[in-house]
Amino acid sequence: MTENRSYPKMEEYLQRKKKMNIRKKFIEGMSVEEFMEYFEDPEKVFCDTSKEMNKLYITNAREQLLNDLPFHLTKKIDSVFKSNNFHYLPTLRFLKTIAGERKSKRKIGGKLPGDLDDIFLKELCYVKMEKKIKEYYENKEKGKKLAFQKAKEAGELIECQCCFDDEVLFSEMSSCDKLENPHFFCNTCIKRYAEEQIGQGKLEFICLEGCVKN
C-alpha cells in the first residue's frame, strides 16, 4: 500500500464520513430548517420528471411504491411509474387519487435495503416531511408579508439597482464589496445573474455594475 499509494487519504476519509452523516440524518430524521438547507425548492426538484434516473433509484422507488400502495395492482403501479419516467413522488401522488383494484391488501415487503440511492433517500424524506414543509413555507410567507408591511410603513424599503424594483426588503438584498456607496441588488436578480454566469462556464462573478469582483 505504501509503494502503490493506494491507501485512503485523510481528506477522502473525511468526505466519506461527512456523506455518511448526511445520509444518517435523512434516514433518522431532521428538522424542516435542516432539510431546507439542502433544497431551496424541493417540490420543483422531485416533481421534475424530465431527468433520467439510475437503476438503483428505480429499484428503490418501485419497492417503496408497492409498500405505499398495497391495494393497487402491481401492473397499474408499473404503468404509471413508467409514464412518469420512473419518478417516485409524481407516481405516488397520481395513484393516490385513484382507488386501488385489489380486493386484499398486498403483503408489505418490509424495510428497504441498506443500499439506497441518495436522491431517492432525500425524496422519501421529503414525502414524510411534506406537511411540515408546507406549513414552514406558509409561515415564512406570512412573516415576509408582515415584515414588508412594517418596512413600507417605516419607509425602509430599498430599490434594486438592476431591476429597479423600489419596494424590496433589506433582508432580501445583497451588496457588492465596494466600501463606499455599495450597489444593492435583490436576491432574484443576483440568482438570475449567477445562473447566467454558470451557464457560460464562468466561475468568477462580478458586481452587476461591473465595479468589483465578488
Side-chain angles (χ1 to χ4, degrees), residues 177-203:
D177 293 335
K178 192 176 181 182
L179 296 178
E180 295 183 8
N181 300 319
H183 299 110
F184 283 90
F185 307 100
C186 68
N187 291 339
T188 300
C189 285
I190 292 173
K191 181 181 178 182
R192 183 172 60 248
Y193 174 73
E195 288 173 348
E196 290 174 356
Q197 292 293 95
I198 293 172
Q200 295 172 18
K202 298 179 181 178
L203 299 179

PDB file of all heavy atoms in Angstrom, residues 177-203:
ATOM      1  N   ASP A 177     -18.803  44.448  -2.890  1.00  0.00           N
ATOM      2  CA  ASP A 177     -17.779  44.697  -1.879  1.00  0.00           C
ATOM      3  C   ASP A 177     -17.255  46.129  -1.866  1.00  0.00           C
ATOM      4  O   ASP A 177     -16.281  46.427  -1.177  1.00  0.00           O
ATOM      5  CB  ASP A 177     -16.594  43.731  -2.090  1.00  0.00           C
ATOM      6  CG  ASP A 177     -17.000  42.287  -1.817  1.00  0.00           C
ATOM      7  OD1 ASP A 177     -17.956  42.099  -1.057  1.00  0.00           O
ATOM      8  OD2 ASP A 177     -16.365  41.383  -2.359  1.00  0.00           O
ATOM      9  N   LYS A 178     -17.885  46.982  -2.624  1.00  0.00           N
ATOM     10  CA  LYS A 178     -17.450  48.378  -2.668  1.00  0.00           C
ATOM     11  C   LYS A 178     -17.652  49.023  -1.294  1.00  0.00           C
ATOM     12  O   LYS A 178     -18.742  48.958  -0.725  1.00  0.00           O
ATOM     13  CB  LYS A 178     -18.255  49.138  -3.724  1.00  0.00           C
ATOM     14  CG  LYS A 178     -17.703  50.514  -4.052  1.00  0.00           C
ATOM     15  CD  LYS A 178     -18.526  51.128  -5.188  1.00  0.00           C
ATOM     16  CE  LYS A 178     -17.982  52.503  -5.545  1.00  0.00           C
ATOM     17  NZ  LYS A 178     -18.787  53.134  -6.611  1.00  0.00           N
ATOM     18  N   LEU A 179     -16.609  49.611  -0.735  1.00  0.00           N
ATOM     19  CA  LEU A 179     -16.667  50.142   0.627  1.00  0.00           C
ATOM     20  C   LEU A 179     -17.532  51.394   0.726  1.00  0.00           C
ATOM     21  O   LEU A 179     -18.271  51.580   1.688  1.00  0.00           O
ATOM     22  CB  LEU A 179     -15.252  50.437   1.135  1.00  0.00           C
ATOM     23  CG  LEU A 179     -14.333  49.210   1.277  1.00  0.00           C
ATOM     24  CD1 LEU A 179     -12.948  49.649   1.739  1.00  0.00           C
ATOM     25  CD2 LEU A 179     -14.913  48.202   2.265  1.00  0.00           C
ATOM     26  N   GLU A 180     -17.429  52.278  -0.261  1.00  0.00           N
ATOM     27  CA  GLU A 180     -18.226  53.489  -0.261  1.00  0.00           C
ATOM     28  C   GLU A 180     -19.349  53.391  -1.287  1.00  0.00           C
ATOM     29  O   GLU A 180     -19.128  53.037  -2.434  1.00  0.00           O
ATOM     30  CB  GLU A 180     -17.350  54.712  -0.582  1.00  0.00           C
ATOM     31  CG  GLU A 180     -16.287  55.002   0.469  1.00  0.00           C
ATOM     32  CD  GLU A 180     -15.495  56.257   0.151  1.00  0.00           C
ATOM     33  OE1 GLU A 180     -15.889  56.966  -0.803  1.00  0.00           O
ATOM     34  OE2 GLU A 180     -14.497  56.517   0.832  1.00  0.00           O
ATOM     35  N   ASN A 181     -20.564  53.676  -0.840  1.00  0.00           N
ATOM     36  CA  ASN A 181     -21.741  53.621  -1.707  1.00  0.00           C
ATOM     37  C   ASN A 181     -21.844  52.297  -2.485  1.00  0.00           C
ATOM     38  O   ASN A 181     -21.821  52.282  -3.723  1.00  0.00           O
ATOM     39  CB  ASN A 181     -21.719  54.800  -2.696  1.00  0.00           C
ATOM     40  CG  ASN A 181     -21.717  56.142  -2.002  1.00  0.00           C
ATOM     41  OD1 ASN A 181     -22.424  56.337  -1.017  1.00  0.00           O
ATOM     42  ND2 ASN A 181     -20.909  57.073  -2.509  1.00  0.00           N
ATOM     43  N   PRO A 182     -21.906  51.178  -1.787  1.00  0.00           N
ATOM     44  CA  PRO A 182     -22.015  49.881  -2.476  1.00  0.00           C
ATOM     45  C   PRO A 182     -23.322  49.765  -3.254  1.00  0.00           C
ATOM     46  O   PRO A 182     -24.304  50.444  -2.943  1.00  0.00           O
ATOM     47  CB  PRO A 182     -21.977  48.888  -1.313  1.00  0.00           C
ATOM     48  CG  PRO A 182     -22.505  49.652  -0.144  1.00  0.00           C
ATOM     49  CD  PRO A 182     -21.989  51.047  -0.326  1.00  0.00           C
ATOM     50  N   HIS A 183     -23.305  48.942  -4.277  1.00  0.00           N
ATOM     51  CA  HIS A 183     -24.501  48.709  -5.076  1.00  0.00           C
ATOM     52  C   HIS A 183     -25.336  47.606  -4.422  1.00  0.00           C
ATOM     53  O   HIS A 183     -24.804  46.571  -4.042  1.00  0.00           O
ATOM     54  CB  HIS A 183     -24.117  48.297  -6.503  1.00  0.00           C
ATOM     55  CG  HIS A 183     -23.321  49.327  -7.223  1.00  0.00           C
ATOM     56  ND1 HIS A 183     -21.992  49.163  -7.522  1.00  0.00           N
ATOM     57  CD2 HIS A 183     -23.668  50.564  -7.692  1.00  0.00           C
ATOM     58  CE1 HIS A 183     -21.548  50.233  -8.174  1.00  0.00           C
ATOM     59  NE2 HIS A 183     -22.531  51.096  -8.271  1.00  0.00           N
ATOM     60  N   PHE A 184     -26.646  47.835  -4.331  1.00  0.00           N
ATOM     61  CA  PHE A 184     -27.548  46.850  -3.735  1.00  0.00           C
ATOM     62  C   PHE A 184     -28.418  46.221  -4.816  1.00  0.00           C
ATOM     63  O   PHE A 184     -28.947  46.912  -5.690  1.00  0.00           O
ATOM     64  CB  PHE A 184     -28.441  47.516  -2.683  1.00  0.00           C
ATOM     65  CG  PHE A 184     -27.725  47.780  -1.388  1.00  0.00           C
ATOM     66  CD1 PHE A 184     -27.051  48.984  -1.190  1.00  0.00           C
ATOM     67  CD2 PHE A 184     -27.722  46.841  -0.373  1.00  0.00           C
ATOM     68  CE1 PHE A 184     -26.378  49.241  -0.007  1.00  0.00           C
ATOM     69  CE2 PHE A 184     -27.052  47.088   0.818  1.00  0.00           C
ATOM     70  CZ  PHE A 184     -26.383  48.291   1.008  1.00  0.00           C
ATOM     71  N   PHE A 185     -28.542  44.886  -4.732  1.00  0.00           N
ATOM     72  CA  PHE A 185     -29.345  44.151  -5.706  1.00  0.00           C
ATOM     73  C   PHE A 185     -30.246  43.157  -4.980  1.00  0.00           C
ATOM     74  O   PHE A 185     -29.860  42.587  -3.952  1.00  0.00           O
ATOM     75  CB  PHE A 185     -28.440  43.390  -6.686  1.00  0.00           C
ATOM     76  CG  PHE A 185     -27.411  44.252  -7.345  1.00  0.00           C
ATOM     77  CD1 PHE A 185     -26.101  44.271  -6.897  1.00  0.00           C
ATOM     78  CD2 PHE A 185     -27.766  45.056  -8.415  1.00  0.00           C
ATOM     79  CE1 PHE A 185     -25.151  45.084  -7.496  1.00  0.00           C
ATOM     80  CE2 PHE A 185     -26.817  45.869  -9.029  1.00  0.00           C
ATOM     81  CZ  PHE A 185     -25.504  45.883  -8.568  1.00  0.00           C
ATOM     82  N   CYS A 186     -31.430  42.942  -5.514  1.00  0.00           N
ATOM     83  CA  CYS A 186     -32.347  41.978  -4.903  1.00  0.00           C
ATOM     84  C   CYS A 186     -31.844  40.562  -5.189  1.00  0.00           C
ATOM     85  O   CYS A 186     -31.133  40.320  -6.180  1.00  0.00           O
ATOM     86  CB  CYS A 186     -33.766  42.166  -5.426  1.00  0.00           C
ATOM     87  SG  CYS A 186     -34.010  41.733  -7.167  1.00  0.00           S
ATOM     88  N   ASN A 187     -32.203  39.633  -4.321  1.00  0.00           N
ATOM     89  CA  ASN A 187     -31.725  38.258  -4.455  1.00  0.00           C
ATOM     90  C   ASN A 187     -32.194  37.597  -5.749  1.00  0.00           C
ATOM     91  O   ASN A 187     -31.517  36.725  -6.292  1.00  0.00           O
ATOM     92  CB  ASN A 187     -32.183  37.432  -3.249  1.00  0.00           C
ATOM     93  CG  ASN A 187     -31.489  37.861  -1.971  1.00  0.00           C
ATOM     94  OD1 ASN A 187     -30.423  38.475  -2.017  1.00  0.00           O
ATOM     95  ND2 ASN A 187     -32.082  37.557  -0.832  1.00  0.00           N
ATOM     96  N   THR A 188     -33.348  38.022  -6.256  1.00  0.00           N
ATOM     97  CA  THR A 188     -33.866  37.457  -7.514  1.00  0.00           C
ATOM     98  C   THR A 188     -32.933  37.785  -8.672  1.00  0.00           C
ATOM     99  O   THR A 188     -32.597  36.923  -9.484  1.00  0.00           O
ATOM    100  CB  THR A 188     -35.276  37.993  -7.810  1.00  0.00           C
ATOM    101  OG1 THR A 188     -36.156  37.643  -6.749  1.00  0.00           O
ATOM    102  CG2 THR A 188     -35.808  37.407  -9.122  1.00  0.00           C
ATOM    103  N   CYS A 189     -32.492  39.039  -8.736  1.00  0.00           N
ATOM    104  CA  CYS A 189     -31.577  39.459  -9.811  1.00  0.00           C
ATOM    105  C   CYS A 189     -30.221  38.772  -9.671  1.00  0.00           C
ATOM    106  O   CYS A 189     -29.612  38.373 -10.665  1.00  0.00           O
ATOM    107  CB  CYS A 189     -31.405  40.977  -9.789  1.00  0.00           C
ATOM    108  SG  CYS A 189     -32.839  41.883 -10.435  1.00  0.00           S
ATOM    109  N   ILE A 190     -29.754  38.650  -8.426  1.00  0.00           N
ATOM    110  CA  ILE A 190     -28.456  38.010  -8.193  1.00  0.00           C
ATOM    111  C   ILE A 190     -28.504  36.543  -8.617  1.00  0.00           C
ATOM    112  O   ILE A 190     -27.574  36.037  -9.255  1.00  0.00           O
ATOM    113  CB  ILE A 190     -28.063  38.127  -6.713  1.00  0.00           C
ATOM    114  CG1 ILE A 190     -27.765  39.589  -6.378  1.00  0.00           C
ATOM    115  CG2 ILE A 190     -26.857  37.253  -6.396  1.00  0.00           C
ATOM    116  CD1 ILE A 190     -27.524  39.848  -4.917  1.00  0.00           C
ATOM    117  N   LYS A 191     -29.596  35.876  -8.280  1.00  0.00           N
ATOM    118  CA  LYS A 191     -29.737  34.459  -8.649  1.00  0.00           C
ATOM    119  C   LYS A 191     -29.759  34.297 -10.163  1.00  0.00           C
ATOM    120  O   LYS A 191     -29.094  33.425 -10.721  1.00  0.00           O
ATOM    121  CB  LYS A 191     -31.007  33.893  -8.036  1.00  0.00           C
ATOM    122  CG  LYS A 191     -31.221  32.426  -8.340  1.00  0.00           C
ATOM    123  CD  LYS A 191     -32.515  31.912  -7.731  1.00  0.00           C
ATOM    124  CE  LYS A 191     -32.734  30.454  -8.095  1.00  0.00           C
ATOM    125  NZ  LYS A 191     -34.014  29.934  -7.547  1.00  0.00           N
ATOM    126  N   ARG A 192     -30.518  35.153 -10.843  1.00  0.00           N
ATOM    127  CA  ARG A 192     -30.608  35.074 -12.300  1.00  0.00           C
ATOM    128  C   ARG A 192     -29.253  35.335 -12.943  1.00  0.00           C
ATOM    129  O   ARG A 192     -28.843  34.639 -13.880  1.00  0.00           O
ATOM    130  CB  ARG A 192     -31.646  36.075 -12.812  1.00  0.00           C
ATOM    131  CG  ARG A 192     -31.857  36.021 -14.325  1.00  0.00           C
ATOM    132  CD  ARG A 192     -33.018  36.875 -14.771  1.00  0.00           C
ATOM    133  NE  ARG A 192     -32.839  38.277 -14.436  1.00  0.00           N
ATOM    134  CZ  ARG A 192     -33.555  38.934 -13.547  1.00  0.00           C
ATOM    135  NH1 ARG A 192     -34.510  38.305 -12.883  1.00  0.00           N
ATOM    136  NH2 ARG A 192     -33.338  40.213 -13.305  1.00  0.00           N
ATOM    137  N   TYR A 193     -28.542  36.326 -12.425  1.00  0.00           N
ATOM    138  CA  TYR A 193     -27.220  36.667 -12.942  1.00  0.00           C
ATOM    139  C   TYR A 193     -26.234  35.517 -12.731  1.00  0.00           C
ATOM    140  O   TYR A 193     -25.462  35.166 -13.633  1.00  0.00           O
ATOM    141  CB  TYR A 193     -26.714  37.927 -12.241  1.00  0.00           C
ATOM    142  CG  TYR A 193     -25.283  38.304 -12.584  1.00  0.00           C
ATOM    143  CD1 TYR A 193     -24.963  38.837 -13.828  1.00  0.00           C
ATOM    144  CD2 TYR A 193     -24.265  38.122 -11.655  1.00  0.00           C
ATOM    145  CE1 TYR A 193     -23.658  39.189 -14.134  1.00  0.00           C
ATOM    146  CE2 TYR A 193     -22.958  38.475 -11.958  1.00  0.00           C
ATOM    147  CZ  TYR A 193     -22.655  39.006 -13.192  1.00  0.00           C
ATOM    148  OH  TYR A 193     -21.362  39.346 -13.502  1.00  0.00           O
ATOM    149  N   ALA A 194     -26.282  34.902 -11.526  1.00  0.00           N
ATOM    150  CA  ALA A 194     -25.383  33.792 -11.227  1.00  0.00           C
ATOM    151  C   ALA A 194     -25.651  32.607 -12.153  1.00  0.00           C
ATOM    152  O   ALA A 194     -24.725  31.955 -12.634  1.00  0.00           O
ATOM    153  CB  ALA A 194     -25.543  33.366  -9.767  1.00  0.00           C
ATOM    154  N   GLU A 195     -26.925  32.332 -12.418  1.00  0.00           N
ATOM    155  CA  GLU A 195     -27.282  31.224 -13.313  1.00  0.00           C
ATOM    156  C   GLU A 195     -26.767  31.475 -14.722  1.00  0.00           C
ATOM    157  O   GLU A 195     -26.319  30.554 -15.413  1.00  0.00           O
ATOM    158  CB  GLU A 195     -28.803  31.045 -13.319  1.00  0.00           C
ATOM    159  CG  GLU A 195     -29.349  30.452 -12.017  1.00  0.00           C
ATOM    160  CD  GLU A 195     -30.856  30.436 -11.970  1.00  0.00           C
ATOM    161  OE1 GLU A 195     -31.494  31.095 -12.840  1.00  0.00           O
ATOM    162  OE2 GLU A 195     -31.413  29.780 -11.069  1.00  0.00           O
ATOM    163  N   GLU A 196     -26.826  32.746 -15.160  1.00  0.00           N
ATOM    164  CA  GLU A 196     -26.316  33.097 -16.494  1.00  0.00           C
ATOM    165  C   GLU A 196     -24.807  32.909 -16.564  1.00  0.00           C
ATOM    166  O   GLU A 196     -24.274  32.398 -17.554  1.00  0.00           O
ATOM    167  CB  GLU A 196     -26.685  34.549 -16.812  1.00  0.00           C
ATOM    168  CG  GLU A 196     -28.168  34.763 -17.060  1.00  0.00           C
ATOM    169  CD  GLU A 196     -28.511  36.232 -17.216  1.00  0.00           C
ATOM    170  OE1 GLU A 196     -27.588  37.075 -17.055  1.00  0.00           O
ATOM    171  OE2 GLU A 196     -29.693  36.548 -17.492  1.00  0.00           O
ATOM    172  N   GLN A 197     -24.099  33.313 -15.497  1.00  0.00           N
ATOM    173  CA  GLN A 197     -22.650  33.173 -15.455  1.00  0.00           C
ATOM    174  C   GLN A 197     -22.238  31.706 -15.474  1.00  0.00           C
ATOM    175  O   GLN A 197     -21.321  31.307 -16.189  1.00  0.00           O
ATOM    176  CB  GLN A 197     -22.096  33.843 -14.189  1.00  0.00           C
ATOM    177  CG  GLN A 197     -22.230  35.363 -14.174  1.00  0.00           C
ATOM    178  CD  GLN A 197     -21.357  36.026 -15.230  1.00  0.00           C
ATOM    179  OE1 GLN A 197     -21.820  36.321 -16.325  1.00  0.00           O
ATOM    180  NE2 GLN A 197     -20.113  36.261 -14.912  1.00  0.00           N
ATOM    181  N   ILE A 198     -22.939  30.893 -14.663  1.00  0.00           N
ATOM    182  CA  ILE A 198     -22.637  29.462 -14.623  1.00  0.00           C
ATOM    183  C   ILE A 198     -22.925  28.821 -15.975  1.00  0.00           C
ATOM    184  O   ILE A 198     -22.180  27.968 -16.459  1.00  0.00           O
ATOM    185  CB  ILE A 198     -23.461  28.773 -13.508  1.00  0.00           C
ATOM    186  CG1 ILE A 198     -22.981  29.269 -12.136  1.00  0.00           C
ATOM    187  CG2 ILE A 198     -23.332  27.251 -13.594  1.00  0.00           C
ATOM    188  CD1 ILE A 198     -23.841  28.814 -10.984  1.00  0.00           C
ATOM    189  N   GLY A 199     -24.017  29.265 -16.613  1.00  0.00           N
ATOM    190  CA  GLY A 199     -24.370  28.737 -17.933  1.00  0.00           C
ATOM    191  C   GLY A 199     -23.314  29.034 -18.977  1.00  0.00           C
ATOM    192  O   GLY A 199     -23.144  28.297 -19.950  1.00  0.00           O
ATOM    193  N   GLN A 200     -22.573  30.115 -18.768  1.00  0.00           N
ATOM    194  CA  GLN A 200     -21.496  30.496 -19.685  1.00  0.00           C
ATOM    195  C   GLN A 200     -20.151  29.904 -19.268  1.00  0.00           C
ATOM    196  O   GLN A 200     -19.118  30.201 -19.862  1.00  0.00           O
ATOM    197  CB  GLN A 200     -21.384  32.030 -19.737  1.00  0.00           C
ATOM    198  CG  GLN A 200     -22.618  32.704 -20.327  1.00  0.00           C
ATOM    199  CD  GLN A 200     -22.572  34.219 -20.202  1.00  0.00           C
ATOM    200  OE1 GLN A 200     -21.511  34.792 -19.987  1.00  0.00           O
ATOM    201  NE2 GLN A 200     -23.716  34.863 -20.336  1.00  0.00           N
ATOM    202  N   GLY A 201     -20.182  29.084 -18.201  1.00  0.00           N
ATOM    203  CA  GLY A 201     -18.961  28.430 -17.746  1.00  0.00           C
ATOM    204  C   GLY A 201     -18.034  29.318 -16.961  1.00  0.00           C
ATOM    205  O   GLY A 201     -16.842  29.030 -16.821  1.00  0.00           O
ATOM    206  N   LYS A 202     -18.543  30.419 -16.420  1.00  0.00           N
ATOM    207  CA  LYS A 202     -17.717  31.348 -15.649  1.00  0.00           C
ATOM    208  C   LYS A 202     -17.816  31.027 -14.163  1.00  0.00           C
ATOM    209  O   LYS A 202     -18.905  30.820 -13.640  1.00  0.00           O
ATOM    210  CB  LYS A 202     -18.165  32.788 -15.901  1.00  0.00           C
ATOM    211  CG  LYS A 202     -18.013  33.233 -17.351  1.00  0.00           C
ATOM    212  CD  LYS A 202     -18.508  34.655 -17.536  1.00  0.00           C
ATOM    213  CE  LYS A 202     -18.380  35.094 -18.991  1.00  0.00           C
ATOM    214  NZ  LYS A 202     -18.890  36.454 -19.192  1.00  0.00           N
ATOM    215  N   LEU A 203     -16.665  30.996 -13.510  1.00  0.00           N
ATOM    216  CA  LEU A 203     -16.626  30.683 -12.089  1.00  0.00           C
ATOM    217  C   LEU A 203     -16.417  31.926 -11.237  1.00  0.00           C
ATOM    218  O   LEU A 203     -16.589  31.889 -10.024  1.00  0.00           O
ATOM    219  CB  LEU A 203     -15.514  29.669 -11.804  1.00  0.00           C
ATOM    220  CG  LEU A 203     -15.661  28.316 -12.509  1.00  0.00           C
ATOM    221  CD1 LEU A 203     -14.493  27.419 -12.164  1.00  0.00           C
ATOM    222  CD2 LEU A 203     -16.967  27.647 -12.120  1.00  0.00           C
TER     223      LEU A 203
END
